[in-house]
Amino acid sequence: MRPQYIQRAFTALTLIASLSFAACKSDTPTPNPTPQPEPKPVFPKPDVNPNATPYITRVLEYLPAVGQFTNELPKYEAGDTQEDMNRKALDELKDNKRGLVTLGGWGGYIVVGFDHTITNVAGQRDFRVLGNAFYSSSNKEAFEAGSCEPGIIMVAYDANHNGRPDEDEWYEIAGSAHVDPTQEPWYAFLKSHTPQADLNFYRDFEMTYHRPAREPESKDGWGTYIRWEDNKGNSGYKVKNQWHAQPYFPQWVKGDKLTFRGTRLPQNGYDQSGVGTYYVLYKFRYGYADNELNDHKDSAIDIDWAVDKKGRKVHLPGVDFIKIYTGVNQENGGIGECSTEISGVNDLHLLKEDIPN
């Protein structure tokens, strides 16, 4: 072969090899970097108070939503401020008095504190939220039901010891519906028997109540009493009833509307009468306030159920503050809106109550 032909062949082979290498290189995906786990918060050890009481000692904020017991439990009097209502709520809850404080409709809340840190004991339930839930003797279905008005529970550990719950210190207790609402014993029953029930679970729920221009002059205005809308495209009214004549919008709040944000649970009410006169409210399995009888295990809470805003578990050494807010938005005929009520929070360890998880 002539030299010039050898040179041309060598050049062609080199070009082909280069193109093949380039093709192989471009077809090979670049591996993704190994994802780094989210850093877990590290908390200092809690202080110890040898003279601690097992009960609530502080109400940092009380703000109920619209409801038939709002302005009554506790009683609002003309001129009362936010501080006055905080104090009145504390008067009902401190020293194991077990008075009743309403949180009104969805989103209404209370923030309470203690004179010590409630310790997180492994394998044990750590505190109990007292409410006024009860079971109905006339319940016809095979589910625990009656007046179960679940409130969502949030907890905060005072890591910087500044005596108040900072925004980044709050974590939510993941109850049974947080884990999987479809596993509630009554879920399939309501889905088939009450197709209009909203059984969705939302972590990003927002709801706004509008102050009425005036109180209804007759019962003709009860059904369109206080308008609300949410961030899921729904709207409706909180209804007034014959049993509670006082205003349902919290009277010490300034402004024409009230907005709450948080988690919303599936509706749990069933019209047993079929005509709106008698509803039963089904119990969620565990993890909520005013959802179970006070002397039953599932009114007690394990701090290890706490999760962050993305639903990831966290481990807290204990909690100094607890926030409770109404978790269901529902009108229940003659018995009115679903509204969480509480009558106290107890430190189970100081009370020597041993409740395994």
Side-chain angles (χ1 to χ4, degrees):
M1 181 179 290
R2 295 180 180 181
Q4 62 267 32
Y5 295 144
I6 295 173
Q7 181 62 37
R8 289 173 184 171
F10 177 78
T11 301
L13 288 171
T14 302
L15 178 61
I16 291 169
S18 299
L19 291 173
S20 299
F21 176 76
C24 291
K25 185 176 181 181
S26 63
D27 290 342
T28 302
T30 302
N32 292 324
T34 303
Q36 297 299 312
E38 289 283 340
K40 293 186 177 181
V42 178
F43 301 100
K45 291 183 178 180
D47 294 333
V48 175
N49 178 2
N51 301 312
T53 172
Y55 312 115
I56 292 170
T57 58
R58 300 171 63 192
V59 169
L60 289 83
E61 187 174 11
Y62 169 59
L63 185 57
V66 168
Q68 61 187 315
F69 300 112
T70 300
N71 301 310
E72 288 291 330
L73 297 174
K75 180 76 171 177
Y76 168 81
E77 297 173 297
D80 279 346
T81 63
Q82 181 65 63
E83 290 70 25
D84 292 325
M85 297 308 294
N86 292 349
R87 175 181 51 78
K88 288 185 175 184
L90 178 60
D91 287 344
E92 297 298 322
L93 302 175
K94 65 182 181 181
D95 300 326
N96 203 30
K97 183 178 178 180
R98 302 199 181 198
L100 209 57
V101 172
T102 188
L103 304 184
W106 184 86
Y109 65 88
I110 190 170
V111 180
V112 302
F114 308 87
D115 63 2
H116 68 290
T117 302
I118 299 176
T119 305
N120 182 2
V121 176
Q124 300 285 317
R125 306 226 178 167
D126 303 296
F127 64 88
R128 169 178 275 122
V129 180
L130 304 174
N132 67 339
F134 61 86
Y135 294 152
S136 171
S137 60
S138 61
N139 178 35
K140 301 175 183 177
E141 312 303 333
F143 316 115
E144 293 174 312
S147 179
C148 301
E149 301 175 285
I152 293 169
I153 299 167
M154 301 186 74
V155 294
Y157 175 61
D158 190 11
N160 59 10
H161 301 296
N162 66 354
R164 63 179 182 269
D166 299 310
E167 186 59 33
D168 62 353
E169 293 176 335
W170 283 113
Y171 299 94
E172 192 156 284
I173 294 295
S176 55
H178 283 68
V179 177
D180 186 355
T182 68
Q183 295 305 304
E184 300 300 335
W186 42 264
Y187 185 93
F189 174 83
L190 278 188
K191 189 172 184 179
S192 62
H193 287 73
T194 310
Q196 71 273 20
D198 186 347
L199 298 178
N200 290 310
F201 175 96
Y202 296 113
R203 291 186 184 274
D204 60 341
F205 196 65
E206 180 178 306
M207 187 166 170
T208 297
Y209 301 89
H210 296 270
R211 186 190 297 271
R214 64 186 65 84
E215 290 295 304
E217 297 179 357
S218 69
K219 64 180 181 180
D220 293 336
W222 290 356
T224 55
Y225 177 33
I226 295 180
R227 185 170 63 88
W228 62 265
E229 69 265 349
D230 65 27
N231 63 340
K232 305 301 178 184
N234 304 305
S235 62
Y237 292 92
K238 288 300 173 186
V239 178
K240 202 175 183 75
N241 61 50
Q242 61 182 319
W243 313 114
H244 303 281
Q246 88 287 351
Y248 290 8
F249 197 98
Q251 294 297 283
W252 64 95
V253 173
K254 308 301 180 184
D256 293 331
K257 61 183 181 180
L258 195 54
T259 299
F260 297 96
R261 298 173 182 86
T263 296
R264 202 217 64 183
L265 299 174
Q267 293 181 339
N268 66 330
Y270 176 60
D271 181 8
Q272 202 168 75
S273 67
V275 293
T277 57
Y278 185 72
Y279 277 69
V280 292
L281 309 180
Y282 293 124
K283 176 205 160 194
F284 287 78
R285 287 177 292 154
Y286 65 87
Y288 304 105
D290 199 19
N291 175 64
E292 174 63 285
L293 306 184
N294 288 335
D295 59 351
H296 284 204
K297 176 181 178 179
D298 286 330
S299 64
I301 303 299
D302 185 351
I303 294 172
D304 275 336
W305 295 339
V307 297
D308 66 13
K309 293 178 180 178
K310 294 183 179 180
R312 299 172 301 207
K313 282 187 169 293
V314 297
H315 178 75
L316 302 172
V319 299
D320 296 282
F321 310 101
I322 294 174
K323 176 179 179 179
I324 303 161
Y325 63 95
T326 299
V328 174
N329 178 39
Q330 184 170 6
E331 292 292 318
N332 300 299
I335 66 173
E337 83 288 337
C338 182
S339 60
T340 301
E341 276 80 44
I342 70 164
S343 59
V345 179
N346 294 349
D347 182 334
L348 295 175
H349 306 312
L350 288 186
L351 292 172
K352 308 298 184 186
E353 291 191 48
D354 182 10
I355 303 179
N357 194 9

